[in-house]
Amino acid sequence: MTAAGLYVHIPFCSSRCSYCDFATGLYQSELADRYVRGLISEITAWEDVGRNVDTIYFGGGTPSLLAALQLERILAVLFDKFKISAEAEITLEINPGSATPDKLRAFRSLGINRASFGAQTFDDAELAKLGRSHNTADALRTFADLRDADFANVSFDLIAGLPGQTLDRWQRNIRQALSLAPEHLSFYLLEVHSGTPLAEHIRRGIQPQPDDDLAGVMYEWMLEQATAAGYEHYEISNLCRPGFHSRHNVKYWNGAPYFGFGCSAHSYDGVARRWSNHRDVLKYVSVVESGASPVVEEQQLSRTDVRAEAVFLGLRLMQGVDLRRYRECFGVDLREEHAEDLDRFCKAGLVELDGDLIRLTRTGALLSNEVFAAFV
Ligand code: SF4
C-alpha cells in the first residue's frame, strides 16, 4: 500500500499579511497551548493505527512560532499512531525572524529535516506592502541560521505579480534567491482574495491592480534563470535541485493518501474519500476538547471525479500523465475520449504528447486552468 503523508496545521502568525486568506490568526501562547492539546487529542483518537507514512508536513500559519517541546509532543503521538519510515521527510514552515538559532537547532534535533522558508520577496518595500512581519535582513539571517543548524533541504516561497512590482525588481529577487542556492523553490502568482485588506486597498485605489500579463513574463523569466542554474521544473509552481522535490506535496498531485490534523486540515484516503476539519480555530478546539470529531465535511468521490482528478492533478507535474497507466487504472483511453480537446491544446501549444505521456508545455503551465477545465 502506498505510504501516506501527514499534514499538521498550526494556525498562528505573529502578524496578519494583507493578502492572506488562510485559516490563521495572531499567536497567543494560551490558545497555542490549548490548540496543541487539541491536536494531540485528535491524533490520539485516530483509529487506523500502524499505517505506513513517509512524509510529515507542519504548515500554517507559522509553525515555527511553536516551542520545540510542543512540536516534540505532537511528533511523539504521530510516531505512536503511525509507522513512520526512518527516512521520512519532515517539513516545517518557518518564517524569517520567527525562530532563534537555538530554536532552529532544537527543531533539527527533533528529526525535522526540511524547512519551507517564507521569504516571499527580498525587497523591503514589497514586504512592507504585503504586511509581512520580516524584512530582507531577517530573511538572510534566518536562512544562514538554518544552514548553521544543519538544514540541508530548504525551500523558498516566492510571490510574483505583486501590485506595482516591476520586472526589474522581480529579476533582482530571483537573482538574490538563486545566489543563496536553496534546494527548492515554490513560486506563486499573487491571488487577490475578496475580504482581505489587499483586496480593499486595490478597490480603493491605494494599490494598483496586479498585472497578470507581467506576472506571466516574470514566471517565464524565473523558469529560464532557475533551470539554467540547475533547477528542475517538476511541477507548475515548483522547482528543485535534483532529488529535492517535495515528497509530501507530490502526494497531493499523484493521488496518494494523506491525513490532515488541526483546524481546516484536509484528508484523502487515496481511493475516493475526502474529508476536512472545522476551519475556525476556536470551534476546532472546543469540539476536540468535548471528545467529538472535528470533521465537518466528507465527500465520496464518484469514479468520474477520481478519473478527472487523476488528469488535472497529474498534469500539474511536468512529467505529465501516463496514458497507458491511466488506461490500466480506469479502462478508458484518454486520447480517444478527449481527442478534440487534446488536438486543440496541442495546436495551441499548451500540451504536448510524447509517446504515452501527455504533459503541459511551459505556456500550458501558465494557462493550466484553461486546460484543466476540459477534464473536470
Ligand atoms: S505568514 Fe503566511 S499564513 Fe501567516 S498571515 Fe502571512 S501569509 Fe498568512
Side-chain angles (χ1 to χ4, degrees):
M1 194 181 279
T2 314
L6 304 178
Y7 174 81
V8 182
H9 189 69
I10 307 296
F12 305 113
C13 289
S14 53
S15 64
R16 183 87 181 162
C17 304
S18 66
Y19 58 96
C20 182
D21 81 330
F22 294 138
T24 176
L26 290 185
Y27 177 83
Q28 301 159 46
S29 87
E30 223 171 274
L31 181 58
D33 277 346
R34 246 181 102 190
Y35 184 79
V36 169
R37 283 197 299 275
L39 270 175
I40 288 170
S41 305
E42 185 192 1
I43 301 165
T44 304
W46 178 261
E47 286 173 354
D48 186 8
V49 178
R51 285 284 298 240
N52 284 325
V53 161
D54 62 2
T55 66
I56 301 175
Y57 193 104
F58 288 94
T62 308
S64 47
L65 289 175
L66 289 191
L69 194 59
Q70 290 172 312
L71 289 173
E72 186 176 6
R73 288 170 54 211
I74 298 167
L75 280 167
V77 65
L78 289 176
F79 272 81
D80 199 39
K81 285 285 170 179
F82 295 92
K83 201 170 155 205
I84 296 173
S85 127
E87 285 82 41
E89 173 192 273
I90 306 182
T91 304
L92 182 76
E93 288 183 356
I94 294 176
N95 274 335
S98 66
T100 61
D102 282 350
K103 200 173 179 187
L104 294 176
R105 275 193 288 275
F107 290 157
R108 186 71 190 87
S109 71
L110 296 177
I112 293 166
N113 49 27
R114 183 170 184 273
S116 175
F117 187 57
Q120 316 305 352
T121 155
F122 290 95
D123 184 300
D124 282 346
E126 289 176 354
L127 287 167
K129 268 195 205 165
L130 291 174
R132 299 286 307 188
S133 58
H134 73 271
N135 59 25
T136 303
D138 294 327
L140 297 177
R141 193 176 50 248
T142 305
F143 179 68
D145 291 343
L146 278 167
R147 291 304 200 204
D148 285 348
D150 197 27
F151 277 90
N153 188 355
V154 179
S155 174
F156 283 1
D157 280 354
L158 296 167
I159 306 185
L162 306 178
Q165 187 175 43
T166 61
L167 183 58
D168 180 54
R169 278 190 156 176
W170 173 248
Q171 291 173 335
R172 263 184 280 148
N173 254 329
I174 295 302
R175 285 193 191 101
Q176 172 81 77
L178 294 177
S179 75
L180 295 169
E183 284 65 36
H184 189 279
L185 292 164
S186 288
F187 165 87
Y188 302 98
L189 293 181
L190 180 73
E191 284 181 45
V192 181
H193 298 282
S194 61
T196 59
L198 179 64
E200 182 59 13
H201 290 167
I202 292 171
R203 193 187 66 76
R204 287 165 49 199
I206 299 169
Q207 293 206 45
Q209 279 282 356
D211 180 340
D212 290 345
D213 292 338
L214 180 59
V217 175
M218 291 173 175
Y219 179 75
E220 298 243 12
W221 191 87
M222 186 273 303
L223 286 183
E224 265 166 36
Q225 298 299 307
T227 49
Y231 287 82
E232 176 197 342
H233 180 208
Y234 75 96
E235 195 269 345
I236 290 177
S237 306
N238 289 282
L239 299 105
C240 67
R241 294 201 172 280
F244 285 97
H245 59 279
S246 163
R247 282 161 49 197
H248 182 82
N249 286 344
V250 166
K251 290 183 188 296
Y252 298 139
W253 302 310
N254 69 11
Y258 55 86
F259 307 119
F261 299 99
C263 66
S264 82
H266 286 63
S267 303
Y268 178 54
D269 68 358
V271 183
R273 193 168 71 93
R274 294 190 182 284
W275 64 98
S276 60
N277 285 354
H278 282 289
R279 182 178 161 94
D280 182 77
V281 57
L282 290 173
K283 179 78 186 170
Y284 167 83
V285 169
S286 65
V287 166
V288 288
E289 280 174 350
S290 74
S293 162
V295 173
V296 72
E297 208 179 337
E298 278 198 61
Q299 187 192 9
Q300 192 65 36
L301 302 180
S302 67
R303 192 155 175 80
T304 312
D305 295 333
V306 175
R307 280 179 48 201
E309 288 199 358
V311 179
F312 70 77
L313 292 176
L315 277 178
R316 290 197 65 92
L317 292 167
M318 301 314 286
Q319 69 187 23
V321 171
D322 186 327
L323 296 171
R324 197 160 39 95
R325 231 183 107 213
Y326 183 91
R327 200 169 46 237
E328 282 165 14
C329 283
F330 302 110
V332 176
D333 189 324
L334 198 65
R335 217 175 332 209
E336 282 173 15
E337 190 181 49
H338 282 277
E340 263 180 46
D341 292 322
L342 290 175
D343 188 46
R344 181 163 50 95
F345 293 141
C346 284
K347 282 185 179 143
L350 303 181
V351 156
E352 61 190 18
L353 281 163
D354 176 9
D356 276 327
L357 289 173
I358 159 181
R359 63 169 82 94
L360 293 177
T361 61
R362 263 192 198 179
T363 314
L366 198 55
L367 300 170
S368 54
N369 287 340
E370 217 171 284
V371 177
F372 297 159
F375 297 99
V376 176

